[in-house]
Amino acid sequence: MTQVLVQGLVFGLLAGGVYALMSSGMSMIFGVMRMVNLGHAAIMLTGSYIAVTLLQQLGVDPLLSIPIIVAAFLVVGALFERGVLGRFIGGDLALAVLVTLGVANILEGGQGVIWTSRFYTIRTGYSFNTFNLFGLYIPLIRIIAAAEAAVLLVALWLILSRTNLGRSIRATIQNRSVAQLVGVNVARVTMIAFAIGVAMAGAAGPLMGMLYTWYPDSHWLWGGKIVAIIILGGLSSLRGALLASMILGVAEQFVTLGIDVRWAPMVFYIFLLVVMLFRPQGLLGSVNRGLA
Amino acid sequence: MRLIRRWGPWLLLVICLALPVLVKQPAWLDMLQFTFMYAAMSVGWDIMGGYAGYPSIGHVGFFGMSSYVAGLLLVHFGVNIFASALLVGLFGSLVGAGLGFISLRTRGPAFLIVTLVFALTVQMLAENLNALTGGTSGLYLPLLDLPPDVVILPFYYAMLALTVLAVATSTFIRASRFGLGLLAIREDEGKAEGSGINTALYKILAFAVSVFFASVAGALHAQYLNYVDPDLAFEFIIGLNMVVMALVGSRATPWGGVLGAVIMFPISQLLVYTLPDKFSGQVPLVELGILLILIPMFLPDGIIKSLERWAERRRRRPRVPSTDTFAPAPVGAP
């Protein structure tokens, strides 16, 4: 029993780290744009596909493909915000959400054409190694994925807390018009924050791909998990997203170990509905943030 | 113009009623049947997504849930789906009201997320509750006891009736205080609330009405295929089609969804059948995705409203050049 509890806790926290990487980008995008990015999970899967292709064709280790993906996705994200999404800010945000839904569809359809609908996973030389921690055997890739996610999250935290850009992003999240008033170039900050969010989603792709199997349609499942996390965390609260990732990661592991892996995603949906009923602003969200 | 507005819909209805007498090919009737189905669902979606300005991406959850409810009623209790469809629709509305109660008391994106998660949840239930739903292998329904060349007719007329009901409901709502309240919510929810509208109640009611049509359509569709499974019943494309058709036609109009369905469904079918097999599975997804990006960018108001605005401008422009303005004399004229 204790064995199961400890295993659930450790595996859950490790998975939670990867969830945090997936959801922090979406949370930040929601913060600056007040818009749910429905393409987030499909963008992540694009990262997974790029990593698996680089590995199979050129033998690039998935961890090394992360910087490549981050660089590419920063550029693409910035261009997309400038060219398409940015137009809707201050206008009809419902349309912006539908645009991101369109992005999800195009990515899913494109992936279906290029990589077909078969299952993929990223297999490296160390995929089946385990790590012995006080008698508990933990797959090495779970630790690597959580560590990599931690590195990227710390980098994001450093950017947000120590740089002028980070201060501008946080100001824009808190109050867009006041940020503009005190001289923040909110249009540029929004573009950069969106690009960072997209890059974080892409960076989560290879890590997800090492731990799970996926196919183009999987992005709905992951999208459902990610939106549940950011609602539980409080939408634009990055700390809330981190906390919610850990809670849901552990809860999911307990359901997987105790009941059945098929019901694991249900944990996310039930948490979401309960939170909506009793604390609609989320764990660490403030009441009036969720406008628009 | 006024004549068209007054009698056009009735003329259209008579033509639609008479069409099966003239068109006998099942393929054409099948296409029309699906066009009506999408038209009804899209007009229904628009009541929430257009009037109230709260786009739902989870209507397909109600479509699929009703397919299962109606299918199970038929398999276990022998209830004919044409008899149960309206009740199943009302059940969908009830669930919709419950979901609205959870997600519509606050403003903002929570609703959108909850609708998405609702669709995923019901699909997962359908997949995993094997004993009840048959799991991934699906649920086979008894066939209708009709000769094959007329078996499509009940579906044709039922979907047509559903479309008529949807357009009538939407027209009625548009002209009512309720509809005005919904439009006010879309424009500025804070001000709407300030002027005494019970915004949460309005939104919940609108959502309940909105999902009714997707629910009835889902019930009928189950019998049309004689089969329900988690992938078919909850195919995301169905939900996307509703959204895109309403966008193409024009949001917040009773006819937008109808126009969108009439334009889009035949085109999608054509694309699926003409493109090579390698792509055809992905075509609807990519097509809808591209439209979801291009329409908001270049035609955000949809066809009907854009045409109306164009007609309005034309009507205001004087036919005869007015006499009090003269073109400057050409330079160098004697």
Side-chain angles (χ1 to χ4, degrees):
Chain A
M1 191 60 203
T2 7
Q3 175 77 11
V4 171
L5 282 181
V6 172
Q7 193 189 345
L9 199 63
V10 173
F11 278 36
L13 289 176
L14 290 174
V18 181
Y19 286 149
L21 183 61
M22 293 173 190
S23 52
S24 57
M26 183 136 157
S27 182
M28 193 163 69
I29 290 174
F30 181 84
V32 294
M33 302 177 93
R34 290 288 181 268
M35 174 207 79
V36 181
N37 176 21
L38 292 172
H40 210 73
I43 293 168
M44 177 182 81
L45 289 195
T46 311
S48 314
Y49 277 116
I50 291 175
V52 80
T53 308
L54 283 176
L55 176 67
Q56 286 174 352
Q57 303 295 325
L58 305 171
V60 179
D61 189 276
L63 296 177
L64 290 178
S65 65
I66 289 180
I68 304 172
I69 291 170
V70 166
F73 281 33
L74 274 174
V75 175
V76 175
L79 289 177
F80 188 73
E81 203 280 337
R82 187 43 49 99
V84 182
L85 272 183
R87 300 171 174 224
F88 298 100
I89 293 182
D92 194 345
L93 280 175
L95 285 177
V97 174
L98 295 179
V99 168
T100 65
L101 182 61
V103 171
N105 294 328
I106 293 175
L107 289 177
E108 184 189 335
Q111 288 160 3
V113 171
I114 299 174
W115 288 284
T116 71
S117 308
R118 78 179 182 83
F119 281 96
Y120 270 87
T121 185
I122 299 176
R123 285 262 173 276
T124 56
Y126 46 86
S127 277
F128 296 107
N129 294 3
T130 53
F131 183 84
N132 187 346
L133 185 86
F134 307 122
L136 187 67
Y137 289 95
I138 305 171
L140 187 63
I141 45 171
R142 282 182 182 262
I143 295 175
I144 292 177
E148 180 75 37
V151 167
L152 289 165
L153 285 169
V154 167
L156 177 69
W157 176 73
L158 285 176
I159 291 175
L160 284 177
S161 62
R162 297 291 155 85
T163 65
N164 268 328
L165 171 67
R167 265 186 287 279
S168 307
I169 291 178
R170 283 185 294 144
T172 309
I173 291 177
Q174 271 179 14
N175 193 325
R176 192 178 179 84
S177 46
V178 172
Q180 188 154 31
L181 233 94
V182 298
V184 175
N185 184 348
V186 288
R188 202 175 66 100
V189 165
T190 305
M191 181 185 81
I192 295 172
F194 181 81
I196 294 176
V198 168
M200 304 273 291
L207 304 181
M208 189 283 294
M210 292 200 303
L211 300 179
Y212 305 92
T213 57
W214 80 90
Y215 67 111
D217 192 69
S218 308
H219 77 96
W220 288 118
L221 180 68
W222 289 102
K225 288 181 173 185
I226 295 172
V227 291
I229 289 170
I230 70 165
I231 286 266
L232 178 60
L235 283 171
S236 59
S237 162
L238 286 172
R239 253 178 263 157
L242 193 65
L243 180 64
S245 300
M246 296 303 166
I247 293 174
L248 286 171
V250 172
E252 184 191 26
Q253 280 304 320
F254 283 143
V255 171
T256 306
L257 295 173
I259 305 173
D260 189 338
V261 67
R262 288 184 311 162
W263 290 108
M266 201 57 116
V267 174
F268 289 78
Y269 308 154
I270 291 171
F271 260 91
L272 171 72
L273 294 181
V274 171
V275 166
M276 284 309 303
L277 264 179
F278 298 110
R279 198 177 157 81
Q281 73 271 32
L283 291 177
L284 298 182
S286 60
V287 178
N288 284 324
R289 292 277 180 76
L291 299 180
Chain B
M1 193 65 196
R2 193 173 294 162
L3 215 62
I4 296 179
R5 266 173 197 267
R6 181 82 184 79
W7 296 108
W10 298 106
L11 185 68
L12 208 60
L13 179 59
V14 170
I15 294 175
C16 289
L17 284 171
L19 259 181
V21 182
L22 308 170
V23 183
K24 293 270 187 232
Q25 293 91 331
W28 283 101
L29 289 178
D30 170 84
M31 197 181 84
L32 286 167
Q33 188 263 148
F34 271 111
T35 307
F36 291 146
M37 180 180 98
Y38 278 116
M41 294 198 295
S42 183
V43 171
W45 180 88
D46 193 47
I47 292 171
M48 191 65 191
Y51 291 152
Y54 273 78
S56 150
I57 50 173
H59 267 54
V60 65
F62 291 89
F63 181 88
M65 180 182 75
S66 304
S67 290
Y68 269 99
V69 173
L72 290 170
L73 281 176
L74 176 63
V75 170
H76 292 299
F77 303 105
V79 186
N80 187 309
I81 282 186
F82 288 95
S84 67
L86 288 179
L87 283 178
V88 173
L90 289 177
F91 174 71
S93 289
L94 207 64
V95 176
L99 208 61
F101 178 74
I102 292 175
S103 61
L104 284 169
R105 289 172 303 159
T106 51
R107 278 179 232 170
F111 169 73
L112 180 93
I113 289 177
V114 168
T115 59
L116 168 66
V117 166
F118 171 75
L120 293 170
T121 307
V122 189
Q123 182 179 28
M124 173 164 280
L125 288 176
E127 260 170 28
N128 291 353
L129 293 174
N130 295 25
L132 182 67
T133 63
T136 43
S137 51
L139 195 68
Y140 290 87
L141 308 184
L143 306 184
L144 280 187
D145 190 16
L146 283 175
D149 51 331
V150 297
V151 75
I152 198 169
L153 291 181
F155 296 99
Y156 177 93
Y157 285 112
M159 292 296 187
L160 177 60
L162 190 64
T163 308
V164 172
L165 185 63
V167 173
T169 309
S170 184
T171 310
F172 177 75
I173 287 180
R174 175 114 203 237
S176 68
R177 278 179 66 89
F178 176 55
L180 212 59
L182 294 180
L183 290 176
I185 288 172
R186 185 188 64 184
E187 292 307 320
D188 189 326
E189 196 163 342
K191 289 203 183 95
E193 196 158 3
S195 63
I197 294 170
N198 185 343
T199 51
L201 181 68
Y202 270 48
K203 287 187 290 180
I204 293 172
L205 276 179
F207 189 51
V209 175
S210 173
V211 298
F212 173 80
F213 300 99
S215 301
V216 177
L220 294 170
H221 188 64
Q223 179 70 78
Y224 187 69
L225 298 182
N226 298 313
Y227 176 64
V228 192
D229 87 10
D231 283 339
L232 283 175
F234 297 96
E235 198 172 359
F236 229 86
I237 299 273
I238 298 170
L240 294 173
N241 263 314
M242 287 180 224
V243 181
V244 176
M245 285 166 182
L247 278 184
V248 168
S250 271
R251 286 175 299 162
T253 55
W255 287 91
V258 179
L259 182 66
V262 167
I263 295 174
M264 289 215 19
F265 186 73
I267 293 180
S268 324
Q269 289 299 93
L270 202 69
L271 284 177
V272 169
Y273 288 124
T274 50
L275 285 169
D277 275 353
K278 187 177 175 220
F279 302 114
S280 61
Q282 314 295 341
V283 162
L285 261 182
V286 176
E287 179 210 349
L288 291 172
I290 291 173
L291 285 174
L292 273 173
I293 295 178
L294 292 185
I295 295 170
M297 285 180 78
F298 301 112
L299 193 69
D301 289 332
I303 293 175
I304 291 182
K305 281 187 186 166
S306 300
L307 279 181
E308 274 176 356
R309 216 177 313 123
W310 177 76
E312 181 76 6
R313 268 207 305 272
R314 238 178 86 103
R315 203 145 46 85
R316 285 218 188 122
R317 196 192 304 149
R319 297 257 164 78
V320 190
S322 52
T323 44
D324 56 5
T325 52
F326 290 98
V331 179

